[in-house]
Amino acid sequence: MLSMVVAPRGSEPAVLRNADALHDAASTMKVAVLAAVHRSGLDLNAQIPVVNEFRSVTGGSYGNSPEWDSDPLPWERIGDLASVRWLAGRMVTHSSNLATNLCLAQVGQAAVARVWRQAGATASGSPRGIEDYAGRDAGVHNRVSARDLARLLDSLEPEVLALLEHNVHRVDIAAGLPPGTRLAGKNGWFPGLRHSAAVVYPADVDPYVLAVCYTGSLASGRAVDDPAARLLARISAGVWRHRHVLASCGV
């Protein structure tokens, strides 16, 4: 299943493909957690304990697995302290699962649900933490659609979007753009899926939003050498070639 939305920034979509089909959210849900942190009023410089035990939506507890985390640095701070600001940054720049659950514990699920509602999402949500397998088995799922991911990006404050510009995993959408092209986005992957959503800022036309969700056998789950990532890169390159036509569709 391939889903896609292409839209001039702040305008209605110009291209839709299975836009409302739901996919497992993977790490794209970290954007909603980031927005919740920045809207929470928390002291972002506050130091909090770095632990690996979180409350499941089922009432028990669970932890993250280092083997499934793409960022080793938060794990080096287990038993120590880290600032909310640093953890929120690692969550989206290096896609840290541990940092995500630590941030989620600070703001709570209700705040994240509010972010989705404020974005105008009609079906997407992230009601459990990452690797809360008991919650998943109980039927609580983090799911997204391409349309809702585009809406989420459109709803973000400039300072939150600015953090997404530092995503180091520059495959899929980023890989389909000319080197040095500015974009703010987040991707997510594991075996069987590869998603990416970004605001792209061409130098010669107005910015546009591209959100692509893929669930299928092409997705190897590898961070870099993933056939599904190459597919998304080709889609991104095609949208880039038509950016001037796309710009004429905006308000």
Side-chain angles (χ1 to χ4, degrees), residues 19-209:
D20 297 309
L22 288 176
H23 300 254
D24 189 295
S27 290
T28 59
M29 55 87 72
K30 294 171 182 176
V31 177
V33 178
L34 179 68
V37 168
H38 278 263
R39 296 172 190 175
S40 66
L42 289 171
D43 178 1
L44 298 184
N45 294 316
Q47 301 283 316
I48 65 171
V50 178
V51 298
N52 187 28
E53 184 174 358
F54 307 101
R55 186 170 181 81
S56 167
V57 295
T58 63
S61 62
Y62 71 98
N64 290 123
S65 300
E67 297 80 12
W68 287 101
D69 204 330
S70 59
D71 186 7
L73 289 192
W75 291 92
E76 295 176 5
R77 299 199 183 190
I78 291 282
D80 205 344
L81 300 173
S83 73
V84 175
R85 185 186 306 278
W86 184 81
L87 291 167
R90 301 302 295 191
M91 172 174 65
V92 292
T93 61
H94 291 72
S95 207
S96 168
N97 292 341
L98 181 62
T100 301
N101 283 340
L102 288 164
C103 288
L104 183 57
Q106 291 296 304
V107 298
Q109 290 288 357
V112 178
R114 189 159 53 248
V115 167
W116 285 112
R117 289 197 304 272
Q118 290 170 341
T122 58
S124 301
S126 41
R128 63 172 174 83
I130 294 177
E131 296 182 68
D132 181 358
Y133 297 130
R136 180 196 62 188
D137 293 344
V140 181
H141 299 290
N142 295 334
R143 288 183 172 145
V144 295
S145 69
R147 192 194 301 269
D148 285 344
L149 285 174
R151 287 168 169 163
L152 179 61
L153 288 177
D154 260 341
S155 74
L156 298 179
E157 297 84 351
E159 62 270 23
V160 178
L161 271 177
L163 287 173
L164 297 178
E165 292 189 37
H166 300 288
N167 181 357
V168 302
H169 297 285
R170 300 185 70 83
V171 292
D172 44 68
I173 287 179
L177 302 173
T181 302
R182 180 185 168 203
L183 82 161
K186 184 73 189 77
N187 34 20
W189 62 91
F190 60 73
L193 68 82
R194 166 72 66 165
H195 309 328
S196 193
V199 180
V200 180
Y201 300 91
D204 54 352
V205 293
D206 290 337
Y208 61 86
V209 177

Side-chain angles (χ1 to χ4, degrees), residues 239-250:
V239 174
W240 174 266
R241 288 194 297 271
H242 292 87
R243 66 192 183 280
H244 294 96
V245 175
L246 179 63
S248 68
C249 299

